Amino acid sequence: MARTAQTKNPCPVPRHWRNELKKVLITEGQIARRIKTLSTEIERDFSGRALVIVAVLNGTILFLADLIRCLSLPLRLDFVGVSSYGLGTESGELVFTKELRLDVRGRDVLLVDDILDTGRTLHRVLGKVRQLQPRRIKTCVLLEKAVHRVEKVRADYVGFSIPELFVVGYGLDFAERYRNLPFIGVLHSRFYAELPSSAAAEPSTHLKRWK
Ligand code: IMP
Ligand code: MG
């Protein structure tokens, strides 16, 4: 059962980030506690199985690093890279920038992504991994936004359900920035309000501000 991220958050934005971030949505401590719970569920569900974790680059880096350190299961790790080259159009085509290298045929796969939004990414990657005939696939995302779903796809493990906000930090980026924040924050809307809605997924092509 996913946690709903608190919108009224008493944790202040660290001074250094105050100009850019409106608030801290999920603190470092809340993330750590949630990952502990998720890892217990994952361990229980995959117990006795040889697991392959397939993580989607780049937004999963911090989540994945913390999650796998909590898992006392024999596991292998591989990555897929997916990029949207839609240039702001709603039907931005997803292109694989890194293919899976491990053989997942007949194995149990846990597919990990940072956030489930429209569902296009997870849907596309799931299709690709299914073709490789794993024994079963389960999906795990740190965050889930329900509002924009266009593909019928769900995550088996969800860290937090969040409202319709553009969030950054703990691996999630805006124009490739903020991935290093140890918490999840909400960007001031002046940074992205002028962008077409789908540009939020790949804003670097629209924003010259950070270049
Ligand atoms: P989907 O394909 O629409 O489900 O979106 C998945 C991708 O969009 C994620 O892997 C992120 O890269 C990006 N994304 C969606 N919402 C956000 C957000 O609030 N902050 C940062 N990236 C986001
Ligand atoms: Mg991104």
Side-chain angles (χ1 to χ4, degrees):
M1 179 70 175
R3 296 280 161 81
T4 302
Q6 278 186 306
T7 44
K8 257 195 255 158
N9 202 305
C11 180
V13 175
R15 182 184 293 275
H16 183 76
W17 301 105
R18 232 163 263 170
N19 283 338
E20 293 156 78
L21 302 185
K22 196 154 62 177
K23 65 178 171 183
V24 174
L25 186 66
I26 309 171
T27 66
E28 217 177 327
Q30 288 169 327
I31 295 171
R33 284 192 291 279
R34 187 68 189 126
I35 287 178
K36 270 265 166 240
T37 310
L38 285 180
S39 64
T40 306
E41 290 171 22
I42 293 168
E43 278 183 349
R44 186 196 56 211
D45 295 349
F46 287 92
S47 151
R49 305 291 315 172
L51 174 62
V52 180
I53 293 192
V54 174
V56 181
L57 293 169
N58 298 333
T60 52
I61 45 165
L62 300 194
F63 177 43
L64 181 76
D66 287 341
L67 180 71
I68 61 175
R69 275 179 288 188
C70 290
L71 292 175
S72 309
L73 288 171
L75 62 84
R76 293 181 179 81
L77 187 58
D78 204 352
F79 297 89
V80 286
V82 189
S83 256
S84 163
Y85 292 114
L87 296 178
T89 64
E90 280 300 326
S91 52
E93 194 197 342
L94 290 173
V95 174
F96 283 88
T97 55
K98 154 120 186 36
E99 302 279 342
L100 211 59
R101 300 198 58 192
L102 290 183
D103 185 6
V104 298
R105 194 189 182 99
R107 297 192 187 276
D108 285 22
V109 170
L110 179 67
L111 181 58
V112 178
D113 203 358
D114 54 357
I115 181 165
L116 176 56
D117 186 15
T118 65
R120 286 195 182 102
T121 307
L122 211 54
H123 183 259
R124 186 75 204 283
V125 177
L126 267 172
K128 180 103 174 167
V129 177
R130 277 200 189 109
Q131 286 174 0
L132 303 170
Q133 301 181 326
R135 176 178 170 269
R136 68 169 171 164
I137 314 177
K138 285 193 174 258
T139 48
C140 174
V141 293
L142 172 67
L143 305 174
E144 174 185 61
K145 287 193 244 182
V147 182
H148 290 147
R149 197 83 77 253
V150 297
E151 293 288 354
K152 217 173 154 197
V153 60
R154 55 177 289 277
D156 298 294
Y157 310 95
V158 178
F160 300 90
S161 291
I162 63 166
E164 181 39 28
L165 295 166
F166 194 81
V167 292
V168 292
Y170 199 67
L172 287 111
D173 74 305
F174 178 66
E176 293 302 328
R177 293 191 69 221
Y178 309 108
R179 291 196 198 275
N180 55 317
L181 303 186
F183 56 86
I184 307 265
V186 180
L187 207 57
H188 277 301
S189 55
R190 65 173 180 274
F191 287 96
Y192 63 91
E194 70 272 25
L195 297 175
S197 61
S198 63
E202 291 291 330
S204 51
T205 49
H206 300 266
L207 251 207
K208 303 285 176 252
R209 203 189 300 264
W210 304 114
K211 294 193 171 167

